[in-house]
Amino acid sequence: MLSRVADSVYWMGRYIERVENYARFMSVNINLSCDLPEVITDHWQVLLEATQDKFTYDQFYAQITEDQIIDFMTFDARNPNSIYSMLGNARENVRTVKEVVPKEFWESLNKFYLRFKNYTFEAHHDLESMLEFYDGIKQQCHFLTGMLDACLTRNEAYYFWNLGKFIERADKTSRFLDIGYFKNEEKSMNSHDFLIWGAVLKSVSAFNMYRQQYKSLNQTNIIEFLIKDRSFPRAICFSLKKAEYALYKISGSRPQNGYRNSAEKQISELNHKIDFTETSEILEMGLHQFLNDFQIANNKLDAEIYKIYFDVSGGVQY
C-alpha cells in the first residue's frame, strides 16, 4: 500500500470518529444547560479547554456564549476542528482513495457532507432541534463505521482505519473525563456532580453499561470504568488494545513477540501504563494531570506512526 493511501485511510478513521465525538461533546453540554443552567457557562469554557479549541475560539469571538460556541464547534469553517471542517476533511481523504473502500461508503459519506453544508445554526436555534441534529450526526457516523466493518476486506486498509479510529476514540474519551473533572478536584460528590458525571457517562453511551457493573454513581468508579475497563468499547484501555492489535497486524508481528519499530514500542508502553496504573494512583496524581500526560503520549504515538508509515517521499511503498 502506498504511504499516501495509508495516510488517507488512517485520517479517514480519525476524522469520522472525531465528528461523532464532537457531536457527543455538544449534546452533553446542551443537556447540562437544561439541568444546570446556573453553572453551565463554566462548562462551555471547560469544553473549549478540554478540546484545546479555546485559542482558536478567542481569535474570532470576544466572549464565551452558548450560541457562539455551538456555532464555532459545529458550523464555523474557520475552525479546523468544527464538525463541518472535519467532515470535509474526512470526505477529501476518502475521495482520494475511493478504490480501497466500498463504493457505497464513499457515496454515503459524500451525501452526508453535502446535506450538512445546507444546515446552519440559525435554522436550528432551539436546543431541542440541535439535540436531534447531533443525534442524527452520531447515527450517520455509526452507519458509516458499520458499513466499513461489514464490507471492508481485512487488509492493510482495514487495520489503518481501525488504528486511526481507536487512537482518536481513546483521546476523546480522555477529554470527556476532563470535562467532568476539570473544575472539581474534591473527592465527595454533591447534587451538581451527580448530574455532571451522569452526563459524562451518557455522552459516551456508557450509562447502562456502567450500571451493570456498579450499583451507584461514584466518581472513582466512573474514572476506573472509562479509563481501565477492558470490555467497554469506548474505554481508553479497550481502545488502546484495539489500536495496538491493528498496528501490529500492519507489520505482521505480535505484541508478545516484541516490538519492531518505535510506533509499536510507544503504543505498547502506553497500553501497559493504562493497564498497570491503579485508579488510586491516578487520583493521587490528579486525574487532570494523568489525562494530560496520556494525551501528550497519544500525540507522540500519532507522530511515531506518521514517521514510520506516512513520512515517505511520493510513490515509495513500505
Side-chain angles (χ1 to χ4, degrees), residues 298-310:
N298 206 40
N299 289 339
K300 181 181 176 183
L301 168 61
D302 176 76
E304 293 299 324
I305 292 169
Y306 174 81
K307 183 170 67 176
I308 298 297
Y309 289 110
F310 309 145

Side-chain angles (χ1 to χ4, degrees), residues 80-96:
N81 280 329
S82 70
I83 292 176
Y84 172 74
S85 296
M86 293 186 294
L87 190 56
N89 289 338
R91 174 181 179 268
E92 182 61 20
N93 276 285
V94 176
R95 186 189 65 80
T96 62

Side-chain angles (χ1 to χ4, degrees), residues 252-266:
S253 57
R254 298 190 301 173
Q256 55 265 43
N257 294 335
Y259 61 86
R260 289 187 180 182
N261 55 55
S262 58
E264 291 177 357
K265 178 183 179 182
Q266 174 70 13

Side-chain angles (χ1 to χ4, degrees), residues 42-310:
D42 287 341
H43 280 270
W44 283 111
Q45 178 168 333
V46 169
L47 175 61
L48 290 173
E49 293 170 349
T51 57
Q52 297 185 334
D53 290 320
K54 191 172 187 303
F55 177 79
T56 307
Y57 180 90
D58 289 341
Q59 291 180 309
F60 302 113
Y61 299 95
Q63 58 184 353
I64 293 176
T65 68
E66 180 181 85
D67 288 357
Q68 288 177 345
I69 291 176
I70 291 173
D71 187 54
F72 172 74
M73 298 190 72
T74 309
F75 304 106
D76 197 334
R78 301 170 299 177
N79 175 17
N81 280 329
S82 70
I83 292 176
Y84 172 74
S85 296
M86 293 186 294
L87 190 56
N89 289 338
R91 174 181 179 268
E92 182 61 20
N93 276 285
V94 176
R95 186 189 65 80
T96 62
V97 294
K98 288 188 289 185
E99 70 279 3
V100 304
V101 297
K103 178 184 177 183
E104 296 83 357
F105 174 79
W106 157 247
E107 291 174 345
S108 297
L109 177 59
N110 191 45
K111 289 177 183 177
F112 182 23
Y113 172 75
L114 294 175
R115 286 198 306 268
F116 192 93
K117 286 182 67 176
N118 296 324
Y119 287 101
T120 62
F121 178 51
E122 289 74 18
H124 300 270
H125 192 275
D126 63 289
L127 296 183
E128 184 175 345
S129 293
M130 288 306 298
L131 283 174
E132 293 178 1
F133 176 68
Y134 290 124
D135 282 342
I137 292 174
K138 289 183 285 184
Q139 290 170 14
Q140 186 64 39
C141 289
H142 291 164
F143 174 74
L144 291 170
T145 55
M147 186 183 298
L148 286 178
D149 196 56
C151 302
L152 187 60
T153 301
R154 268 46 175 175
N155 54 16
E156 288 177 327
Y158 175 82
Y159 292 113
F160 272 113
W161 164 60
N162 264 274
L163 179 62
K165 177 180 70 174
F166 283 110
I167 287 175
E168 184 67 31
R169 184 175 294 180
D171 177 82
K172 291 302 175 284
T173 296
S174 75
R175 297 181 190 278
F176 280 115
L177 275 168
D178 244 357
I179 293 172
Y181 202 79
F182 227 74
K183 302 291 186 180
N184 181 28
E185 293 291 339
E186 62 267 12
K187 298 294 189 297
S188 59
M189 293 179 66
N190 56 40
S191 58
H192 286 175
D193 297 331
F194 279 111
L195 285 172
I196 292 168
W197 282 103
V200 169
L201 285 172
K202 291 174 183 176
S203 68
V204 291
S205 302
F207 192 84
N208 285 356
M209 301 303 101
Y210 170 86
R211 291 301 296 269
Q212 288 178 8
Q213 292 185 223
Y214 302 97
K215 293 182 179 180
S216 61
L217 289 181
N218 176 279
Q219 191 166 276
T220 301
N221 291 340
I222 293 171
I223 291 168
E224 179 167 347
F225 183 73
L226 292 182
I227 292 179
K228 295 180 62 62
D229 194 88
R230 292 172 171 238
S231 303
F232 179 63
R234 305 196 75 86
I236 293 174
C237 180
F238 181 98
S239 299
L240 279 181
K241 289 188 182 301
K242 287 291 187 179
E244 181 184 43
Y245 178 78
L247 187 57
Y248 276 83
K249 286 289 287 186
I250 291 166
S251 71
S253 57
R254 298 190 301 173
Q256 55 265 43
N257 294 335
Y259 61 86
R260 289 187 180 182
N261 55 55
S262 58
E264 291 177 357
K265 178 183 179 182
Q266 174 70 13
I267 199 169
S268 292
E269 286 180 343
L270 190 53
N271 212 339
H272 287 310
K273 181 177 180 181
I274 296 294
D275 240 352
F276 293 110
T277 303
E278 298 294 336
T279 306
S280 58
E281 296 175 293
I282 295 173
L283 294 174
E284 184 177 348
M285 177 191 308
L287 178 62
H288 175 60
Q289 183 61 52
F290 177 85
L291 294 174
N292 188 64
D293 291 346
F294 166 76
Q295 290 157 15
I296 292 171
N298 206 40
N299 289 339
K300 181 181 176 183
L301 168 61
D302 176 76
E304 293 299 324
I305 292 169
Y306 174 81
K307 183 170 67 176
I308 298 297
Y309 289 110
F310 309 145

